[in-house]
Amino acid sequence: MMKKVILILLALTLFLAVSASAEDESSLLGKPFPDFTIKDCEGNTFTLSEALKDHEAVLINFWATWCGPCRSEFPAINKVYEEYKDKVAFIALSIEPEDKNEVISSFRQTNGLSLPMGRDKDHKLYDTAKTTSIPVTIIIDRFGNVVFFQIGCFRTADDLIRTLDAFLGDQYTETAVLNSVPADNSTVALPVSPARALWVENEGAQKATIHIEGSENTLNFCIVNDSTAHVIAEISASDSPTDVVFYNSDAGYTDLKDMLDPNRGVLTCDVSVPEEGQVLVALMDYQKIVTEMNDPDIIQFYIIRNPSEIDTHIDALKASGYSNVTVEYETETNAGSKADAYIIHVLDQNGDPVPEVCVNFCSDVACVPCESDEDGTIVYTGKPDVYHVQIIDYPEGYSCDESFEMYTPKTYGEWVLRLRKD
């Protein structure tokens, strides 16, 4: 069925975007990358040896304009480029012969990218990677050696930042290769709900569901009257706060911690919606899709402004032989529910509960210490207020970021708080 096909295609895209070949890695890692000189699409000269004179590392990304995973990671790469361009030299090289300089310049402008982009004419550099897949990212350290090689896209900017940081700074004194993206072990707290949910809070938003006779699968839409959809994501306490991500087919992946609105205590993201066409959004466990090729709890739907997009899908289904296709409309509603206290579930990076963690709930008047029970749960039933929550003690064998703090909204709510098990 069409929904099943979409799920499979999405899962396959994600899998291809993170899979890598150990054989390809071993052929490059730790070895010098040959010096090269190219001109980017703006006519600027890029020479590897020159770039290493005033940068601590060089990042080379191989891509093509037709490559979906390539497009999905560019917002993240561009964000890191803006932050790291004084320390790391970036160059993104298309391997597609039809991607002439004017095509790349147009792509760069259309997608709001500032990082240097150009062509790998005749695949001379790409052939060094000894692979047939894209995107490919190679990081070369200050000594001119390949220290990171990845087939597939970076999920988020934070993933790339953690990778680059491994090769930067005064502590990096000799070549040390990295075989995978370092795990995110930061201390993080995110609001949770009884179940995972994804919905649009625009006034007048309407849900539409296409049903296909003989199939349990559906095709889901949300119709909005605005150019921007205000999307709310909700995760359950059993979801991993770092494995579940928000996906936007126009902007790629977003870590949930980057969606947190602390004043409201919700995870939210604004999504641009075209007058014609559609944008796919999804809330999924990225690691399950990568490792198991499936996330049974994935939520995804198209956001549209023109209801005729639904008719287009129905016509396509009927043309494919599905004669009995119906559509059901209903008003979009908040799928979550409210807690009756301030509840914090303390977990480690493996998802196991952490007892004996003490936090302070501080208002303008007083601080109240609370401790997690054997299930890792902290419950505070003080009156609703904006509380400053800080970790003041935790058991031996665990650690957390000293700078961690959170603020509650002036309503009861539920959070998951992750510490590191050392």
Side-chain angles (χ1 to χ4, degrees):
M1 303 302 104
M2 183 167 285
K3 174 66 181 286
K4 185 176 181 181
V5 169
I6 291 173
L7 281 169
I8 291 172
L9 287 176
L10 180 55
L12 182 59
T13 298
L14 291 168
F15 176 74
L16 292 176
V18 296
S19 62
S21 165
E23 181 179 354
D24 287 343
E25 289 177 355
S26 63
S27 68
L28 283 177
L29 286 175
K31 299 178 182 178
F33 196 84
D35 196 16
F36 65 89
T37 297
I38 62 147
K39 286 189 179 294
D40 66 21
C41 64
E42 303 301 317
N44 303 306
T45 300
F46 185 102
T47 300
L48 175 60
S49 56
E50 291 297 317
L52 287 172
K53 289 180 180 179
D54 52 9
H55 293 85
E56 298 180 56
V58 169
L59 182 147
I60 306 171
N61 178 267
F62 296 104
W63 64 286
T65 53
W66 48 260
C67 169
C70 301
R71 293 194 300 271
S72 72
E73 74 170 345
F74 271 137
I77 293 179
N78 198 75
K79 179 180 178 181
V80 179
Y81 165 74
E82 288 294 340
E83 184 176 344
Y84 276 63
K85 58 186 176 183
D86 292 336
K87 296 182 287 187
V88 180
F90 288 68
I91 186 70
L93 300 174
S94 174
I95 66 168
E96 169 56 52
E98 297 301 318
D99 287 348
K100 307 298 184 185
N101 280 335
E102 57 270 21
V103 174
I104 296 172
S105 293
S106 176
F107 177 90
R108 187 168 175 259
Q109 182 177 4
T110 300
N111 290 278
L113 304 175
S114 55
L115 76 153
M117 308 181 81
R119 304 173 60 202
D120 180 21
K121 191 176 181 180
D122 302 324
H123 291 190
K124 290 182 179 179
L125 292 176
Y126 179 67
D127 287 346
T128 305
K130 297 180 181 178
T131 182
T132 57
S133 303
I134 53 171
V136 168
T137 297
I138 295 174
I139 297 176
I140 301 163
D141 71 1
R142 66 189 67 179
F143 308 111
N145 298 318
V146 176
V147 287
F148 181 79
F149 176 90
Q150 175 173 277
I151 302 174
C153 70
F154 283 95
R155 185 185 66 172
T156 64
D158 282 350
D159 284 353
L160 178 53
I161 286 173
R162 292 196 306 277
T163 303
L164 287 173
D165 282 347
F167 313 114
L168 306 179
D170 294 339
Q171 76 282 356
Y172 189 80
T173 58
E174 60 181 3
T175 294
V177 302
L178 195 62
N179 292 300
S180 60
V181 174
D184 179 6
N185 290 322
S186 60
T187 306
V188 60
L190 295 175
V192 296
S193 298
R196 192 187 302 178
L198 188 67
W199 54 283
V200 175
E201 65 174 348
N202 294 53
E203 184 176 355
Q206 190 176 32
K207 293 170 62 176
T209 305
I210 294 179
H211 299 275
I212 307 167
E213 186 178 25
S215 172
E216 296 180 356
N217 297 302
T218 58
L219 195 57
N220 304 307
F221 299 82
C222 181
I223 308 167
V224 297
N225 299 318
D226 311 295
S227 59
T228 301
H230 308 297
V231 179
I232 302 293
E234 297 178 348
I235 60 171
S236 70
S238 61
D239 281 327
S240 167
T242 52
D243 289 345
V244 176
V245 295
F246 174 71
Y247 175 76
N248 173 349
S249 59
D250 284 343
Y253 311 103
T254 302
D255 269 342
L256 297 187
K257 63 184 179 182
D258 294 330
M259 298 173 62
L260 179 61
D261 181 340
N263 295 322
R264 298 178 59 195
V266 299
L267 303 171
T268 182
C269 183
D270 285 348
V271 175
S272 296
V273 187
E275 289 188 21
E276 302 294 333
Q278 57 204 10
V279 56
L280 176 68
V281 296
L283 190 64
M284 69 191 83
D285 189 310
Y286 188 89
Q287 290 304 316
K288 283 185 179 179
I289 289 180
V290 170
T291 59
E292 304 172 24
M293 288 293 288
N294 181 41
D295 175 12
D297 298 318
I298 186 173
I299 302 171
Q300 62 178 340
F301 54 84
Y302 289 110
I303 304 178
I304 60 175
R305 292 170 66 183
N306 191 338
S308 66
E309 296 292 335
I310 297 174
D311 297 329
T312 300
H313 282 268
I314 292 175
D315 291 342
L317 283 167
K318 290 182 177 179
S320 299
Y322 301 103
S323 57
N324 195 346
V325 180
T326 59
V327 59
E328 176 186 8
Y329 294 91
E330 59 181 311
T331 301
E332 177 71 289
T333 57
N334 182 348
S337 62
K338 301 298 182 182
D340 56 4
Y342 291 103
I343 303 170
I344 299 176
H345 304 277
V346 188
L347 309 174
D348 63 20
Q349 68 268 36
N350 302 313
D352 297 323
V354 185
E356 300 179 3
V357 174
C358 189
V359 304
N360 260 343
F361 282 84
C362 295
S363 66
D364 292 337
V365 178
C367 290
V368 179
C370 298
E371 186 174 277
S372 60
D373 60 21
E374 61 181 12
D375 295 322
T377 301
I378 298 171
V379 179
Y380 178 59
T381 56
K383 69 175 184 178
D385 201 347
V386 176
Y387 290 98
H388 182 202
V389 181
Q390 292 179 296
I391 300 171
I392 56 176
D393 195 19
Y394 46 83
E396 185 177 351
Y398 293 87
S399 60
C400 67
D401 299 343
E402 294 183 1
S403 61
F404 171 79
E405 61 181 359
M406 63 173 276
Y407 290 86
T408 70
K410 203 170 182 177
T411 55
Y412 288 139
E414 194 169 353
W415 288 263
V416 60
L417 168 63
R418 188 188 65 184
L419 272 63
R420 291 187 296 275
K421 186 175 184 179
D422 300 329

